[in-house]
Amino acid sequence: MEMRDSFVDTTTTLLAQEPRTALVLADISAALFTAAAERHPDRVLNVGIREQLMLGVAGGLALTGLRPIVHSYAPFLVERAYEQIKLDLDHQAARAVLVSIGASFDRASAGRTHLSPADVALVDTLSGWTVHVPGHPDEVPGLLRTTVAADGSAYLRLSTLSNGRPYPGDGDLVLVRDAGAGAALLVAVGPTLDAALAATEGLPVTVAYTHRPRPFDTAGLRTLADNEVILVEPYLAGTSARVVAAALADRPHRLLALGVGREELRRYGSAEDHLRWHGLDPAGLRRSVTGFLTPAAADRTPTPAMLGQYV
Amino acid sequence: MNSLATITTRVAEAAAPLDGRHPIAPLLERVRAGRDFGPNVYSTLDVLWVLYDRILRITPATADDPDRDRFLLSKGHAVAGYYAVLAAKGFVPPGWLDDQGGPESRLGDHPDRTLVPGVEIGSGSLGHGLGLAVGTALGLRAQGLLDPRVYVLVGDAELDEGSNHEAIAYAGAAGLGNLTAIVLDNASATHGWSGGPATRFTVNGWTAATVDGRDHDALYAALTGQHGHRPHVVVAVVDHEEGR
């Protein structure tokens, strides 16, 4: 079962259990909600291929007291109708739960139109949003139930990429591998964890996991971090750098922020290919981390990720 | 475009914008505070007054009632008359009108629903109200609130924004009988609407009425002329030059 299947099952249950819940679609995944739409025709609303309307409708539903879940492919949900998120939700003080599929490059072979590495950074321009980036399908039901039951706005970023095991919890940093005092702290977000663990095997690096980059667990970060922090995010590199910098502002520290590069590669292939090209596979991560930890500047051969290049 | 006749007309408007005939003229004058309002302010006054005085089932006491009618001002720049009407009907204290737009004012040049009692949506960026109105109409329907009506006011130039056409097509297909759009048509769309704005709605299954936007009885008849399970549009035509 992939994350989208978990989302469909949990949402279908929520629609049946909680009459405040509504689902707004723009054709994407509509076929998976056929049964739910037949049972709840007034609360499962497929507006067709109209993303501006999808978010406007969500805003209107929320203004009447419903709790809308809005779902589409990440670039169409977050990027295409960004002003509707800003104005039809936030400016109206209307709240919704946005759930995307596609992530950064799940459908790499579809090309740039279906890639959305900047989605979390874009949501991060807004105020008060919770962002969940689950790393395993089994994390999805709990996150979805919790965010729908809450009142705030939230963005759940689902992917076909996944770690080998789930880490339930509310999103505070989970200590996965403790390398002892003085070690660098690597924070892996969502489905980057397994590659980060493989990359740092045998290195003096403590590894922590979170599926909730916003609000980032800054208290946990301050507890676990010494003076070297490595961020590994499955979306735009540096998205959480400002949060880490602010959390450690009183502490001399170094930060390596890894993630997806800004350059449009104009290559197809698979998600695994793009992970490699962006230096997010175990070998690429190990190159970056080793370079970061090596004190002598002369020994620090820039990695592809550092240079924003691909190999 | 600025012919001598046009300029003369506008000067005359600035001197006596409402010539005292309108019940909210004194309140609007407090908002105006000596400034020169554009025609868009005056062009919406009549429809706003007919709505709040004769049609909308909403009072300051029921401003948060789930069963209230909703009025969504999508063309948020038409705000001066809106504030004046809200003051006339007791939603906001008249004293708020005196420093409209000031640093301590709750009344901006575009309305903010979180700051102004009775305001259903914050607007200003064109093309957002109709989508929000569709969602509001759907939300009421989903909760079995079948009495309240949702009115949304857009401008003919605002219809340039494609988001409106997403909403118009879907509302027709969904049969949103509790939704009424009002197009304030002062012929300001740069490329016009050949055949009239109403055609963009009727082709999608809406019922439509096009009336003189200054004729209160005609406006009342059109704004209450919904029938059945189709969304309804009222095109209120006002003079482009005079805008009143």
Side-chain angles (χ1 to χ4, degrees):
Chain A
M1 180 179 274
E2 292 197 347
M3 290 188 195
R4 172 154 69 166
D5 305 312
S6 297
F7 160 65
V8 171
D9 287 355
T10 304
T11 300
T12 299
T13 303
L14 285 171
L15 285 162
Q17 292 176 341
E18 172 50 64
R20 272 186 69 223
T21 308
L23 174 67
V24 194
L25 304 169
D27 273 1
I28 300 287
S29 302
L32 302 174
F33 287 104
T34 303
E38 285 172 3
R39 282 197 291 275
H40 319 288
D42 287 342
R43 288 187 289 124
V44 178
L45 303 161
N46 178 12
V47 300
I49 308 170
R50 298 183 174 96
E51 285 82 12
Q52 296 183 82
L53 180 63
M54 174 175 67
L55 284 152
V57 162
L61 293 172
L63 289 176
T64 68
L66 293 180
R67 180 66 165 156
I69 299 170
V70 192
H71 169 69
S72 190
Y73 230 76
F76 316 138
L77 177 64
V78 176
E79 294 176 327
R80 188 182 186 105
Y82 171 75
E83 196 190 57
Q84 272 72 19
I85 299 175
K86 178 182 114 182
L87 295 181
D88 297 356
L89 294 175
D90 282 16
H91 182 51
Q92 310 306 330
R95 309 297 178 206
V97 176
L98 273 49
V99 182
S100 74
I101 52 169
S104 290
F105 32 60
D106 283 0
R107 274 193 65 196
S109 64
R112 174 61 179 156
T113 57
H114 286 59
L115 311 185
S116 189
D119 56 347
V120 176
L122 204 48
V123 171
D124 198 34
T125 63
L126 304 167
S127 172
W129 279 67
T130 297
V131 179
H132 284 293
V133 181
H136 190 280
D138 290 353
E139 295 172 7
V140 173
L143 294 181
L144 189 60
R145 285 182 171 282
T146 303
T147 49
V148 171
D151 291 328
S153 278
Y155 176 48
L156 272 66
R157 183 188 209 253
L158 309 186
S159 178
T160 54
L161 299 176
S162 152
N163 300 313
R165 55 155 289 194
Y167 290 85
D170 64 0
D172 285 349
L173 294 185
V174 175
L175 184 59
V176 181
R177 180 194 287 152
D178 189 350
L185 172 68
L186 184 152
V187 178
V189 177
T192 66
L193 176 63
D194 282 359
L197 286 169
T200 54
E201 186 76 47
L203 296 180
V205 175
T206 290
V207 177
Y209 170 77
T210 184
H211 55 62
R212 195 197 64 209
R214 295 294 180 281
F216 197 96
D217 177 16
T218 51
L221 177 78
R222 287 179 62 82
T223 302
L224 292 172
D226 189 36
N227 60 4
E228 290 177 327
V229 177
I230 300 157
L231 275 174
V232 184
E233 299 183 277
Y235 36 79
L236 208 60
T239 298
S240 295
R242 67 168 184 88
V243 177
V244 173
L248 302 178
D250 60 339
R251 202 186 282 186
H253 67 276
R254 296 198 304 133
L255 170 64
L256 175 65
L258 301 174
V260 179
R262 279 183 153 73
E263 184 187 359
E264 181 179 349
L265 302 186
R266 298 189 187 278
R267 295 178 79 176
Y268 300 105
S270 66
E272 287 71 23
D273 291 324
H274 283 250
L275 286 171
R276 190 172 71 255
W277 295 331
H278 288 282
L280 296 173
D281 63 324
L285 290 173
R286 191 172 182 93
R287 279 195 302 273
S288 296
V289 170
T290 305
F292 177 70
L293 296 177
T294 303
D299 295 338
R300 294 177 60 191
T301 306
T303 65
M306 287 170 164
L307 295 173
Q309 295 172 339
Y310 56 91
V311 291
Chain B
M1 295 294 282
N2 280 326
S3 68
L4 185 59
T6 307
I7 292 168
T8 305
T9 302
R10 291 199 175 144
V11 169
E13 277 176 1
L18 286 171
D19 57 32
R21 74 187 167 83
H22 211 288
I24 63 165
L27 292 165
L28 190 65
E29 283 304 284
R30 288 178 73 163
V31 181
R32 197 170 72 87
R35 293 173 292 181
D36 186 6
F37 280 159
N40 61 78
V41 171
Y42 305 110
S43 66
T44 54
L45 263 184
D46 292 290
V47 67
L48 287 171
W49 184 251
V50 171
L51 280 166
Y52 275 89
D53 195 50
R54 299 174 64 179
I55 295 174
L56 296 173
R57 290 164 294 184
I58 179 172
T59 68
T62 63
D64 295 316
D65 186 339
D67 249 328
R68 71 189 184 278
D69 286 340
R70 270 75 165 173
F71 171 71
L72 282 60
L73 180 71
S74 189
K75 47 176 287 184
H77 54 279
V79 79
Y82 187 35
Y83 292 151
V85 170
L86 289 172
K89 291 298 180 185
F91 291 92
V92 303
W96 288 16
L97 302 177
D98 294 330
D99 68 338
Q100 185 268 317
E104 305 303 323
S105 177
R106 300 171 76 88
L107 310 182
D109 290 357
H110 301 119
D112 183 332
R113 68 174 294 273
T114 71
L115 298 179
V116 190
V119 168
E120 298 285 358
I121 61 165
S123 54
S125 178
L126 297 175
H128 287 266
L130 202 42
L132 286 166
V134 169
T136 302
L138 289 164
L140 293 171
R141 189 165 82 174
Q143 294 171 83
L145 297 167
L146 303 181
D147 289 333
R149 290 193 178 283
V150 180
Y151 293 84
V152 56
L153 176 66
V154 302
D156 67 298
E158 182 179 10
L159 284 181
D160 288 359
E161 293 285 0
S163 52
N164 291 299
H165 301 275
E166 294 188 6
I168 292 166
Y170 174 75
L176 281 181
N178 55 349
L179 176 66
T180 299
I182 304 142
V183 180
L184 204 298
D185 183 2
N186 56 7
S188 58
T190 295
H191 299 287
W193 292 105
S194 61
T199 58
R200 273 67 192 178
F201 293 80
T202 53
V203 74
N204 286 293
W206 294 53
T207 57
T210 298
V211 297
D212 180 344
R214 293 164 300 180
D215 183 332
H216 288 199
D217 290 335
L219 282 169
Y220 177 82
L223 290 166
T224 54
Q226 301 90 350
H227 28 112
H229 302 287
R230 297 162 70 184
H232 185 59
V233 63
V234 175
V235 178
V237 180
V238 295
D239 186 276
H240 177 49
E241 295 298 339
E242 294 186 7
R244 293 175 59 181

